[in-house]
Amino acid sequence: MDGPVRSRLAYLSDFQFGAVNTETIEDALLHLAQLNEQAVQEAAGRMGSFRETRIVEFVFLLSEQWCLEKSVSYQAVEILERFMVQQAEDICRQATVQLREKTEPQSWKALKEQLFNKFILRLVSCVQLASKLSFHYKIISNGTVLSFLQSLGYVHTKEELLESELDVLKSLNFQINLPTPLAYVEMLLEVLGYNGCLVPAARLHATCLTLLDLVYLLHEPVYDSLLRASVENSRPSQLQGEKFVSVKEDFMLLGVGIIAASAFIQSPECWGQVVEHLQSITGITLESIAEFSYAILTHGVGANTPRRRPVPPHLEARALGAVTSSNS
């Protein structure tokens, strides 16, 4: 058995539900809900622009190569996304100041080249920083990072590597311990277990990880189809797209969508009960949960873009039809 598979199985086998008391779970869920509300309210502009498929795939494959557990790969993507957005905003602010002061501005081409030339180094630094946040699993050494970069044709020193990490930390005000969608998924699964959900949380967990990978890798297609369904228009306006940024940053919504889709895959007959539990826990409407889970399922089985669902219970019949047609 190779390293990446062994690492993934070790993480799954070590994970336990029902080991924490209800008071702690309630406090943790409330804290995550508050963080999520703040993220949704602050979402604007370029947020989510760097969760691009090729970038996410690179991070995932690198994390597997280095045998890092799943939460590290998600955290690395989020750190990189926040850092790159901050870099883009800094460039815009710099250009605005230069125009206002009528100084000689740097060309966009030069600024773009600066970002491009250091992007792989920054990406690797984000993975390394994420691994340090999960120090109880595995920290990636500087030697390992430098060897990897050299294998790609990038020659850097340990000093440059440390400077890159420091640049990321300073840019984000050292706030890199970011909540990831996985934290919301696992917390909601824990609560479902205490609430008497018919589908065991441990059984849903592995499927949730697979679907969360899918959503990260197909981030734009999944959310684009969700946007079209929500506005009932195959060609949303730019304003509608900008307002939809807050949905892309709603990890609680993503968490319930992932769990609902996983429940349908594992036990379609229990799907309704799971969705009702999720609605009761989070306050997210049944229709929103159904819409999101259907978007995930249709992209997972290769069906067409979903249309808006007026009545949530119809999801089961439509999803079954999508699975049947994709297998025929």
Side-chain angles (χ1 to χ4, degrees):
M1 186 179 297
D2 61 18
V5 174
R6 183 167 58 250
S7 174
R8 189 182 184 98
L9 292 178
Y11 171 67
L12 293 175
S13 62
D14 290 344
F15 203 91
Q16 293 183 0
F17 289 99
V20 182
N21 62 60
T22 55
E23 290 79 9
T24 301
I25 293 297
E26 289 174 359
D27 290 342
L29 180 62
L30 178 60
H31 178 63
L32 283 178
Q34 291 170 341
L35 291 176
N36 188 66
E37 184 64 26
Q38 180 180 352
V40 169
Q41 290 177 354
E42 295 175 354
R46 301 172 183 83
M47 295 298 293
S49 301
F50 294 92
R51 297 191 190 106
E52 196 266 339
T53 297
R54 290 175 297 175
I55 297 173
V56 171
E57 185 177 24
F58 194 117
V59 172
F60 282 7
L61 291 175
L62 183 57
S63 297
E64 286 194 354
Q65 181 176 326
W66 286 343
C67 301
L68 300 172
E69 57 110 2
K70 288 302 299 180
S71 64
V72 174
S73 60
Y74 300 132
Q75 188 127 55
V77 171
E78 295 306 318
I79 294 173
L80 179 64
E81 207 276 330
R82 299 286 182 92
F83 172 73
M84 292 304 297
V85 167
Q86 187 64 50
Q87 292 292 292
E89 291 178 347
D90 287 346
I91 289 175
C92 290
R93 279 193 293 268
Q94 179 183 344
T96 301
V97 171
Q98 289 172 340
L99 286 172
R100 186 170 57 244
E101 297 178 353
K102 297 182 179 180
T103 56
E104 186 66 28
Q106 283 185 272
S107 70
W108 283 105
K109 183 178 180 181
L111 293 170
K112 182 179 177 181
E113 285 180 355
Q114 287 179 19
L115 283 177
F116 179 81
N117 292 336
K118 291 186 177 181
F119 181 73
I120 296 298
L121 175 62
R122 299 297 194 232
L123 184 153
V124 174
S125 292
C126 290
V127 175
Q128 191 175 19
L129 286 169
S131 78
K132 291 178 180 179
L133 291 173
S134 298
F135 62 89
H136 55 291
Y137 279 94
K138 185 177 182 180
I139 295 175
I140 303 305
S141 68
N142 290 338
T144 299
V145 174
L146 291 174
S147 296
F148 172 75
L149 289 170
Q150 187 174 10
S151 71
L152 297 181
Y154 298 95
V155 179
H156 293 285
T157 64
K158 288 186 177 180
E159 289 73 20
E160 289 174 326
L161 194 60
L162 292 172
E163 288 174 2
S164 178
E165 287 190 50
L166 191 58
D167 284 344
V168 174
L169 290 169
K170 286 181 177 179
S171 179
L172 299 179
N173 295 318
F174 292 85
Q175 297 177 9
I176 63 168
N177 193 11
L178 307 169
T180 68
L182 180 60
Y184 288 84
V185 167
E186 291 179 341
M187 181 59 63
L188 289 169
L189 286 175
E190 188 79 58
V191 177
L192 283 175
Y194 278 107
N195 287 5
C197 179
L198 294 176
V199 187
R203 204 168 110 200
L204 289 172
H205 189 238
T207 306
C208 285
L209 286 177
T210 300
L211 292 183
L212 190 52
D213 280 358
L214 173 74
V215 172
Y216 262 98
L217 290 167
L218 298 178
H219 188 269
E220 282 305 309
V222 169
Y223 279 96
D224 282 349
S225 66
L226 196 62
L227 170 58
R228 290 193 294 270
S230 65
V231 300
E232 298 182 329
N233 191 330
S234 61
R235 294 184 178 180
S237 67
Q238 181 178 348
L239 179 59
Q240 289 172 324
E242 291 173 354
K243 289 183 176 180
F244 198 72
V245 171
S246 61
V247 177
K248 294 182 178 181
E249 297 305 310
D250 191 338
F251 288 171
M252 189 71 80
L253 175 62
L254 174 55
V256 297
I258 290 289
I259 294 173
S262 300
F264 184 83
I265 292 171
Q266 288 284 341
S267 301
E269 69 280 1
C270 299
W271 180 85
Q273 191 230 33
V274 172
V275 171
E276 287 180 359
H277 274 306
L278 291 171
Q279 190 275 333
S280 176
I281 294 167
T282 65
I284 297 173
T285 66
L286 296 175
E287 184 178 357
S288 295
I289 298 173
E291 202 69 77
F292 208 149
S293 61
Y294 185 70
I296 294 169
L297 287 168
T298 51
H299 281 279
V301 300
N304 292 329
T305 301
R307 296 184 298 274
R308 186 171 177 79
R309 296 264 315 91
V311 184
H314 291 172
L315 175 68
E316 295 188 30
R318 292 185 62 188
L320 278 173
V323 174
T324 302
S325 63
S326 67
N327 291 333
S328 59

mmCIF file of all heavy atoms in Angstrom, residues 271-299:
data_model
loop_
_atom_site.group_PDB
_atom_site.id
_atom_site.type_symbol
_atom_site.label_atom_id
_atom_site.label_comp_id
_atom_site.label_asym_id
_atom_site.label_seq_id
_atom_site.Cartn_x
_atom_site.Cartn_y
_atom_site.Cartn_z
ATOM 1 N N TRP A 271 -32.700 9.957 3.454
ATOM 2 C CA TRP A 271 -32.281 11.297 3.055
ATOM 3 C C TRP A 271 -33.161 12.388 3.670
ATOM 4 O O TRP A 271 -32.661 13.391 4.182
ATOM 5 C CB TRP A 271 -32.313 11.406 1.524
ATOM 6 C CG TRP A 271 -31.890 12.740 1.012
ATOM 7 C CD1 TRP A 271 -30.624 13.168 0.771
ATOM 8 C CD2 TRP A 271 -32.749 13.836 0.670
ATOM 9 N NE1 TRP A 271 -30.624 14.460 0.301
ATOM 10 C CE2 TRP A 271 -31.915 14.897 0.228
ATOM 11 C CE3 TRP A 271 -34.128 14.031 0.684
ATOM 12 C CZ2 TRP A 271 -32.432 16.123 -0.185
ATOM 13 C CZ3 TRP A 271 -34.638 15.253 0.276
ATOM 14 C CH2 TRP A 271 -33.795 16.283 -0.158
ATOM 15 N N GLY A 272 -34.463 12.183 3.642
ATOM 16 C CA GLY A 272 -35.388 13.183 4.172
ATOM 17 C C GLY A 272 -35.141 13.464 5.641
ATOM 18 O O GLY A 272 -35.157 14.624 6.078
ATOM 19 N N GLN A 273 -34.903 12.407 6.416
ATOM 20 C CA GLN A 273 -34.664 12.603 7.848
ATOM 21 C C GLN A 273 -33.372 13.367 8.097
ATOM 22 O O GLN A 273 -33.311 14.261 8.946
ATOM 23 C CB GLN A 273 -34.609 11.244 8.568
ATOM 24 C CG GLN A 273 -34.631 11.378 10.087
ATOM 25 C CD GLN A 273 -33.520 10.585 10.771
ATOM 26 O OE1 GLN A 273 -32.430 10.432 10.229
ATOM 27 N NE2 GLN A 273 -33.816 10.097 11.966
ATOM 28 N N VAL A 274 -32.323 13.027 7.329
ATOM 29 C CA VAL A 274 -31.036 13.705 7.489
ATOM 30 C C VAL A 274 -31.175 15.191 7.162
ATOM 31 O O VAL A 274 -30.680 16.047 7.901
ATOM 32 C CB VAL A 274 -29.967 13.063 6.580
ATOM 33 C CG1 VAL A 274 -28.679 13.881 6.601
ATOM 34 C CG2 VAL A 274 -29.691 11.620 7.015
ATOM 35 N N VAL A 275 -31.868 15.515 6.091
ATOM 36 C CA VAL A 275 -32.049 16.918 5.690
ATOM 37 C C VAL A 275 -32.842 17.681 6.744
ATOM 38 O O VAL A 275 -32.524 18.833 7.067
ATOM 39 C CB VAL A 275 -32.743 17.005 4.309
ATOM 40 C CG1 VAL A 275 -33.136 18.438 3.994
ATOM 41 C CG2 VAL A 275 -31.827 16.462 3.220
ATOM 42 N N GLU A 276 -33.868 17.053 7.307
ATOM 43 C CA GLU A 276 -34.645 17.715 8.361
ATOM 44 C C GLU A 276 -33.776 17.990 9.584
ATOM 45 O O GLU A 276 -33.890 19.053 10.218
ATOM 46 C CB GLU A 276 -35.851 16.851 8.731
ATOM 47 C CG GLU A 276 -36.943 16.848 7.659
ATOM 48 C CD GLU A 276 -38.121 15.974 8.052
ATOM 49 O OE1 GLU A 276 -38.064 15.364 9.147
ATOM 50 O OE2 GLU A 276 -39.080 15.905 7.270
ATOM 51 N N HIS A 277 -32.924 17.030 9.936
ATOM 52 C CA HIS A 277 -31.993 17.243 11.048
ATOM 53 C C HIS A 277 -31.066 18.419 10.766
ATOM 54 O O HIS A 277 -30.832 19.272 11.632
ATOM 55 C CB HIS A 277 -31.155 15.979 11.294
ATOM 56 C CG HIS A 277 -31.814 14.979 12.190
ATOM 57 N ND1 HIS A 277 -32.281 15.286 13.449
ATOM 58 C CD2 HIS A 277 -32.076 13.653 12.018
ATOM 59 C CE1 HIS A 277 -32.804 14.207 14.015
ATOM 60 N NE2 HIS A 277 -32.695 13.200 13.155
ATOM 61 N N LEU A 278 -30.526 18.461 9.550
ATOM 62 C CA LEU A 278 -29.605 19.534 9.186
ATOM 63 C C LEU A 278 -30.298 20.898 9.226
ATOM 64 O O LEU A 278 -29.718 21.889 9.671
ATOM 65 C CB LEU A 278 -29.025 19.278 7.789
ATOM 66 C CG LEU A 278 -28.064 18.087 7.675
ATOM 67 C CD1 LEU A 278 -27.739 17.803 6.206
ATOM 68 C CD2 LEU A 278 -26.780 18.346 8.451
ATOM 69 N N GLN A 279 -31.550 20.932 8.768
ATOM 70 C CA GLN A 279 -32.314 22.175 8.807
ATOM 71 C C GLN A 279 -32.536 22.624 10.252
ATOM 72 O O GLN A 279 -32.411 23.809 10.583
ATOM 73 C CB GLN A 279 -33.653 21.984 8.094
ATOM 74 C CG GLN A 279 -34.450 23.265 7.865
ATOM 75 C CD GLN A 279 -35.315 23.652 9.061
ATOM 76 O OE1 GLN A 279 -35.725 22.782 9.828
ATOM 77 N NE2 GLN A 279 -35.574 24.940 9.217
ATOM 78 N N SER A 280 -32.834 21.676 11.122
ATOM 79 C CA SER A 280 -33.086 21.988 12.527
ATOM 80 C C SER A 280 -31.818 22.501 13.217
ATOM 81 O O SER A 280 -31.875 23.415 14.041
ATOM 82 C CB SER A 280 -33.603 20.741 13.248
ATOM 83 O OG SER A 280 -33.771 20.986 14.631
ATOM 84 N N ILE A 281 -30.678 21.917 12.853
ATOM 85 C CA ILE A 281 -29.411 22.287 13.489
ATOM 86 C C ILE A 281 -28.931 23.661 13.040
ATOM 87 O O ILE A 281 -28.483 24.479 13.849
ATOM 88 C CB ILE A 281 -28.321 21.232 13.168
ATOM 89 C CG1 ILE A 281 -28.678 19.885 13.809
ATOM 90 C CG2 ILE A 281 -26.952 21.704 13.666
ATOM 91 C CD1 ILE A 281 -27.845 18.732 13.289
ATOM 92 N N THR A 282 -29.032 23.940 11.746
ATOM 93 C CA THR A 282 -28.403 25.139 11.178
ATOM 94 C C THR A 282 -29.368 26.265 10.869
ATOM 95 O O THR A 282 -28.951 27.422 10.735
ATOM 96 C CB THR A 282 -27.667 24.781 9.874
ATOM 97 O OG1 THR A 282 -28.627 24.350 8.890
ATOM 98 C CG2 THR A 282 -26.655 23.670 10.102
ATOM 99 N N GLY A 283 -30.657 25.969 10.725
ATOM 100 C CA GLY A 283 -31.613 26.989 10.322
ATOM 101 C C GLY A 283 -31.626 27.240 8.821
ATOM 102 O O GLY A 283 -32.386 28.083 8.329
ATOM 103 N N ILE A 284 -30.807 26.512 8.069
ATOM 104 C CA ILE A 284 -30.796 26.638 6.608
ATOM 105 C C ILE A 284 -32.040 25.950 6.059
ATOM 106 O O ILE A 284 -32.407 24.863 6.494
ATOM 107 C CB ILE A 284 -29.519 26.005 6.024
ATOM 108 C CG1 ILE A 284 -28.295 26.755 6.535
ATOM 109 C CG2 ILE A 284 -29.543 26.025 4.488
ATOM 110 C CD1 ILE A 284 -26.969 26.110 6.161
ATOM 111 N N THR A 285 -32.700 26.569 5.106
ATOM 112 C CA THR A 285 -33.969 26.040 4.605
ATOM 113 C C THR A 285 -33.790 24.690 3.917
ATOM 114 O O THR A 285 -32.722 24.399 3.368
ATOM 115 C CB THR A 285 -34.621 27.015 3.607
ATOM 116 O OG1 THR A 285 -33.795 27.098 2.431
ATOM 117 C CG2 THR A 285 -34.787 28.392 4.220
ATOM 118 N N LEU A 286 -34.864 23.906 3.940
ATOM 119 C CA LEU A 286 -34.847 22.607 3.274
ATOM 120 C C LEU A 286 -34.554 22.768 1.782
ATOM 121 O O LEU A 286 -33.833 21.963 1.186
ATOM 122 C CB LEU A 286 -36.186 21.889 3.477
ATOM 123 C CG LEU A 286 -36.563 21.520 4.911
ATOM 124 C CD1 LEU A 286 -37.972 20.938 4.943
ATOM 125 C CD2 LEU A 286 -35.573 20.523 5.489
ATOM 126 N N GLU A 287 -35.135 23.804 1.193
ATOM 127 C CA GLU A 287 -34.940 24.028 -0.241
ATOM 128 C C GLU A 287 -33.474 24.317 -0.562
ATOM 129 O O GLU A 287 -32.931 23.802 -1.552
ATOM 130 C CB GLU A 287 -35.815 25.179 -0.722
ATOM 131 C CG GLU A 287 -35.729 25.410 -2.230
ATOM 132 C CD GLU A 287 -36.638 26.531 -2.685
ATOM 133 O OE1 GLU A 287 -37.379 27.080 -1.845
ATOM 134 O OE2 GLU A 287 -36.598 26.845 -3.887
ATOM 135 N N SER A 288 -32.813 25.127 0.259
ATOM 136 C CA SER A 288 -31.404 25.447 0.026
ATOM 137 C C SER A 288 -30.527 24.213 0.159
ATOM 138 O O SER A 288 -29.598 23.993 -0.632
ATOM 139 C CB SER A 288 -30.935 26.528 1.005
ATOM 140 O OG SER A 288 -31.606 27.749 0.777
ATOM 141 N N ILE A 289 -30.816 23.390 1.177
ATOM 142 C CA ILE A 289 -30.043 22.161 1.365
ATOM 143 C C ILE A 289 -30.240 21.229 0.173
ATOM 144 O O ILE A 289 -29.289 20.643 -0.356
ATOM 145 C CB ILE A 289 -30.452 21.454 2.672
ATOM 146 C CG1 ILE A 289 -30.163 22.352 3.876
ATOM 147 C CG2 ILE A 289 -29.705 20.121 2.817
ATOM 148 C CD1 ILE A 289 -30.698 21.811 5.195
ATOM 149 N N ALA A 290 -31.493 21.106 -0.262
ATOM 150 C CA ALA A 290 -31.800 20.240 -1.398
ATOM 151 C C ALA A 290 -31.120 20.735 -2.671
ATOM 152 O O ALA A 290 -30.559 19.952 -3.443
ATOM 153 C CB ALA A 290 -33.308 20.163 -1.598
ATOM 154 N N GLU A 291 -31.169 22.047 -2.884
ATOM 155 C CA GLU A 291 -30.582 22.623 -4.090
ATOM 156 C C GLU A 291 -29.083 22.382 -4.146
ATOM 157 O O GLU A 291 -28.524 22.000 -5.178
ATOM 158 C CB GLU A 291 -30.876 24.118 -4.127
ATOM 159 C CG GLU A 291 -30.814 24.737 -5.513
ATOM 160 C CD GLU A 291 -31.939 24.272 -6.411
ATOM 161 O OE1 GLU A 291 -33.073 24.738 -6.267
ATOM 162 O OE2 GLU A 291 -31.647 23.417 -7.273
ATOM 163 N N PHE A 292 -28.428 22.587 -3.007
ATOM 164 C CA PHE A 292 -26.978 22.423 -2.969
ATOM 165 C C PHE A 292 -26.591 20.953 -3.123
ATOM 166 O O PHE A 292 -25.667 20.608 -3.878
ATOM 167 C CB PHE A 292 -26.410 22.971 -1.656
ATOM 168 C CG PHE A 292 -24.989 23.448 -1.774
ATOM 169 C CD1 PHE A 292 -24.532 24.499 -0.993
ATOM 170 C CD2 PHE A 292 -24.093 22.865 -2.652
ATOM 171 C CE1 PHE A 292 -23.233 24.959 -1.085
ATOM 172 C CE2 PHE A 292 -22.780 23.313 -2.756
ATOM 173 C CZ PHE A 292 -22.355 24.356 -1.969
ATOM 174 N N SER A 293 -27.284 20.087 -2.418
ATOM 175 C CA SER A 293 -26.957 18.664 -2.516
ATOM 176 C C SER A 293 -27.202 18.139 -3.920
ATOM 177 O O SER A 293 -26.438 17.306 -4.437
ATOM 178 C CB SER A 293 -27.756 17.847 -1.495
ATOM 179 O OG SER A 293 -29.141 17.962 -1.714
ATOM 180 N N TYR A 294 -28.249 18.662 -4.571
ATOM 181 C CA TYR A 294 -28.522 18.227 -5.937
ATOM 182 C C TYR A 294 -27.431 18.708 -6.890
ATOM 183 O O TYR A 294 -27.007 17.971 -7.797
ATOM 184 C CB TYR A 294 -29.887 18.738 -6.406
ATOM 185 C CG TYR A 294 -30.258 18.201 -7.769
ATOM 186 C CD1 TYR A 294 -30.568 16.847 -7.927
ATOM 187 C CD2 TYR A 294 -30.248 19.025 -8.885
ATOM 188 C CE1 TYR A 294 -30.881 16.345 -9.179
ATOM 189 C CE2 TYR A 294 -30.559 18.523 -10.138
ATOM 190 C CZ TYR A 294 -30.879 17.180 -10.278
ATOM 191 O OH TYR A 294 -31.172 16.676 -11.515
ATOM 192 N N ALA A 295 -26.929 19.935 -6.697
ATOM 193 C CA ALA A 295 -25.829 20.446 -7.516
ATOM 194 C C ALA A 295 -24.602 19.552 -7.374
ATOM 195 O O ALA A 295 -23.921 19.236 -8.354
ATOM 196 C CB ALA A 295 -25.501 21.885 -7.123
ATOM 197 N N ILE A 296 -24.318 19.130 -6.150
ATOM 198 C CA ILE A 296 -23.164 18.255 -5.906
ATOM 199 C C ILE A 296 -23.371 16.896 -6.569
ATOM 200 O O ILE A 296 -22.473 16.364 -7.244
ATOM 201 C CB ILE A 296 -22.938 18.080 -4.387
ATOM 202 C CG1 ILE A 296 -22.533 19.415 -3.758
ATOM 203 C CG2 ILE A 296 -21.866 17.025 -4.115
ATOM 204 C CD1 ILE A 296 -22.550 19.414 -2.241
ATOM 205 N N LEU A 297 -24.558 16.335 -6.415
ATOM 206 C CA LEU A 297 -24.845 15.021 -6.991
ATOM 207 C C LEU A 297 -24.790 15.041 -8.513
ATOM 208 O O LEU A 297 -24.230 14.130 -9.134
ATOM 209 C CB LEU A 297 -26.218 14.537 -6.524
ATOM 210 C CG LEU A 297 -26.314 14.078 -5.068
ATOM 211 C CD1 LEU A 297 -27.767 13.914 -4.653
ATOM 212 C CD2 LEU A 297 -25.548 12.779 -4.853
ATOM 213 N N THR A 298 -25.368 16.061 -9.115
ATOM 214 C CA THR A 298 -25.393 16.091 -10.574
ATOM 215 C C THR A 298 -23.994 16.237 -11.160
ATOM 216 O O THR A 298 -23.673 15.627 -12.183
ATOM 217 C CB THR A 298 -26.290 17.218 -11.105
ATOM 218 O OG1 THR A 298 -25.931 18.450 -10.481
ATOM 219 C CG2 THR A 298 -27.747 16.923 -10.838
ATOM 220 N N HIS A 299 -23.158 17.029 -10.520
ATOM 221 C CA HIS A 299 -21.778 17.140 -11.004
ATOM 222 C C HIS A 299 -20.999 15.860 -10.712
ATOM 223 O O HIS A 299 -20.091 15.504 -11.463
ATOM 224 C CB HIS A 299 -21.088 18.351 -10.376
ATOM 225 C CG HIS A 299 -21.474 19.646 -11.020
ATOM 226 N ND1 HIS A 299 -20.907 20.090 -12.191
ATOM 227 C CD2 HIS A 299 -22.404 20.575 -10.684
ATOM 228 C CE1 HIS A 299 -21.446 21.237 -12.539
ATOM 229 N NE2 HIS A 299 -22.364 21.564 -11.640
#
